[in-house]
Amino acid sequence: MTTIAAENITPILASLESGGGPEAIARARQAGLKAVGYCCPYVPVELILAHRMLPVRLDPADVAGIAACACASPQPEKASPAPVVEALDGLIVTAVGNGKKQDSEPADVSGLPVVTLHLPSCHDRYRVSPGPERDYKAGLKSLSLSLSRISGRRPGYLDMMRSILLEKRIRHNLRGLYEAPLSENTPLGWRALERLSRAGAGTGRPGYYQGLERLKAELAASAPALAGDQSRLMLYGPALDGRADEVLDLIELSGGLIVTDYICTASARLRKTVPVWGTFERPAESLAELYLFNAPCPFMGGHEARLMRMLALARWYRVHALVCVNPGSNPVFKSDFERLSEDFYSRLFIPSLYIEDSLPLKDPQGLRERLNDFIDIIGGRV
């Protein structure tokens, strides 16, 4: 199966990728918009949009001196922040914990106001305890107040609902596009879609939604691609950045084809739909469902919920193997993957491969040999 997009799909994909830097933020500022950066995908972009600001997702490596994401290690203090960070008007960082303090006072890091959103460290799938939801909502309220100090305005109910409905439409489109690899002969592969959620300042969200609509239409009208003989893989691990392309390229060169994932910045958080609560939707409940009670991060617990969802995806996408890409060997992801790999094999006889090489790779040839041997062993390559 080829992952090369059809000729009329390629320019749409290119227009949707978040490749912009300070220049894109400067254009937004010319239009009267401020920009707020964040690393963790558990930060509700709906709140940023409701304050009429541009959300900009960052790589943790872009931010010097602090851990900008719950699963990221602090960057060296002597390092300078990336130019895209210096162009922002504010920064949201996340931390996992059950402390009562939900939001730190904005602190200047390289002259940038910083707000901390604390995420509950437990994922109460069955809502037995009201604590996690209560704490998360309190954190969102504090975050909104801090964003008001940056934006100079306080959003109303209609502002919140417009941003929530827009993000729902974007998630719905992305969810449908990520189902393209279910077909053996789709012209749109997983990697092309994963690049759409990479860090960077891209087009505004309304323009992003319109681009996804065009992409859906072109995909429906495109001719089928030729089916190949690659092994169908599920990818797991922490958030990806541009450095991961080196590993993903080697996977493809070895005969592997990523068809689905459980990665917070890719498709993991797109699969849940949120009901309307009563006659009028309640924004706080919707955001809690979309972020807190959605695909749980290993740092937030919820191993059993994560396992059940991944097993269902493996069956649905006809996966041959589970691959974990964990640069730097994050201990939380490593421990979680060890449990997942045992369950995958005992329940579905699906083998797994763990990749923890630092990026950029020190021994790409050695990794390629491991991948070749693994693909041969699982027998997914005909």
Side-chain angles (χ1 to χ4, degrees), residues 44-57:
V45 296
E46 292 87 344
L47 276 179
I48 301 174
L49 293 170
H51 284 82
R52 298 184 187 176
M53 295 190 290
L54 177 69
V56 180
R57 199 175 76 79

Side-chain angles (χ1 to χ4, degrees), residues 19 96 144 171 185 279 294 319 359:
V96 177
S144 183
R171 287 189 183 92
N185 56 359
T279 305
N294 199 336
V319 167
L359 296 176

Side-chain angles (χ1 to χ4, degrees), residues 11 90 109 128 147 192 202 207 231 233 235 238 282 296 327 350:
V109 174
V128 175
L147 290 177
S231 298
L233 308 177
L235 198 65
R282 295 180 289 187
I350 291 178

